[in-house]
Amino acid sequence: MSEAEVVLASAGSERNLLVFKLTEFEGNRLLDVRKYFLDKKSGELCPTRKGIALGESGFSVLKQVIEEKQADITDWFIEDAVVRGVASNVTRMNQAGDALSKIEHSVHVLFEDWKSPAFFRAEFEGPLTLLFLNTRHPFARRLADLVAEDNPSSHIVISMLEGFARAKHLYDGESSGVAEVLLDGLLVNWGLIMTNPAKSKQDACSS
């Protein structure tokens, strides 16, 4: 039992409360940082064993570390928050993608000419995807010809582009904006590479 104590601050909920106190025990003055919980029977906040009591020397060391390494400590917590934020967004996007996969949707292919390395873009009207092929781009022109011929392979490519566009759309307006910027960059680089697409070679051993 402490002989004297002064509560400096507290943080958190009553179920998980962190309390900062100046306390005195057996003639030693301490800074006590400890988790507390609400006792359901008594209705009182009670200390747990999760905490630390620092004497003058311990507090001096802690104060020095915080002053000298504040930037490192702050960066450490920011990095953790970013990782947790990304994980949370990935989970949310996966759930949205799963829900979208259960909805019937269709695609309408349109042809436009615009100055951009990207060979396609998409707009959405509910379950309908408007997929625009950039006829200024050589790959898009080739694909447009296949679409006009109703070539079966064009259906596969259009379905892949529509699926990618839908998946990308889930990240539009994402809070940090990082995913949206990266995906936009991906579209540009994809378009640049597809100006000279790889030529497929049939395996000489295939029948």
Side-chain angles (χ1 to χ4, degrees):
M1 186 71 134
S2 61
E3 299 169 6
E5 62 180 34
V6 177
V7 176
L8 298 176
S10 61
S13 66
E14 290 184 342
R15 297 179 59 184
N16 188 29
L17 190 66
L18 184 63
V19 177
F20 300 81
K21 290 196 310 184
L22 297 178
T23 185
E24 188 174 337
F25 182 71
E26 295 182 351
N28 297 310
R29 294 195 169 190
L30 307 167
L31 169 64
D32 190 80
V33 182
R34 192 164 304 279
K35 289 282 190 178
Y36 277 64
F37 72 97
L38 181 65
D39 188 303
K40 294 182 179 180
K41 292 183 178 180
S42 66
E44 296 181 355
L45 287 172
C46 301
T48 70
R49 294 188 178 185
K50 296 179 180 180
I52 186 171
L54 296 173
E56 182 179 1
S57 60
F59 172 71
S60 296
V61 172
L62 176 62
K63 182 174 179 290
Q64 182 178 355
V65 169
I66 291 176
E67 289 176 347
E68 293 179 356
K69 302 296 182 180
Q70 182 175 352
D72 293 337
I73 296 170
T74 301
D75 289 345
W76 174 259
F77 287 124
I78 290 176
E79 179 182 333
D80 180 60
V82 169
V83 170
R84 285 187 284 109
V86 169
S88 175
N89 279 338
V90 168
T91 299
R92 181 166 53 84
M93 297 307 175
N94 287 346
Q95 291 171 344
D98 182 61
L100 186 61
S101 70
K102 297 177 173 61
I103 300 174
E104 290 189 9
H105 49 98
S106 57
V107 58
H108 183 44
V109 182
L110 300 166
F111 308 102
E112 281 191 357
D113 182 321
W114 71 91
K115 189 176 181 180
S116 170
F119 63 92
F120 79 100
R121 65 181 179 85
E123 296 179 5
F124 305 96
E125 297 179 357
L128 173 64
T129 300
L130 302 177
L131 191 71
F132 297 86
L133 296 181
N134 182 7
T135 55
R136 184 174 296 197
H137 193 287
F139 179 77
R141 287 198 302 271
R142 183 181 177 191
L143 179 57
D145 290 340
L146 294 176
V147 171
E149 296 168 4
D150 199 26
N151 188 300
S153 62
S154 70
H155 304 317
I156 297 173
V157 176
I158 292 299
S159 293
M160 291 176 61
L161 295 181
E162 193 270 344
F164 174 82
R166 281 280 177 183
K168 176 184 177 299
H169 186 56
L170 294 175
Y171 290 87
D172 290 349
E174 183 261 336
S175 57
S176 70
V178 173
E180 191 173 350
V181 170
L182 290 175
L183 289 170
D184 285 342
L186 172 64
L187 280 178
V188 169
N189 287 315
W190 189 8
L192 290 171
I193 292 169
M194 293 304 290
T195 58
N196 184 24
K199 307 296 190 296
S200 62
K201 295 182 179 180
Q202 187 175 3
D203 191 333
C205 297
S206 63
S207 56

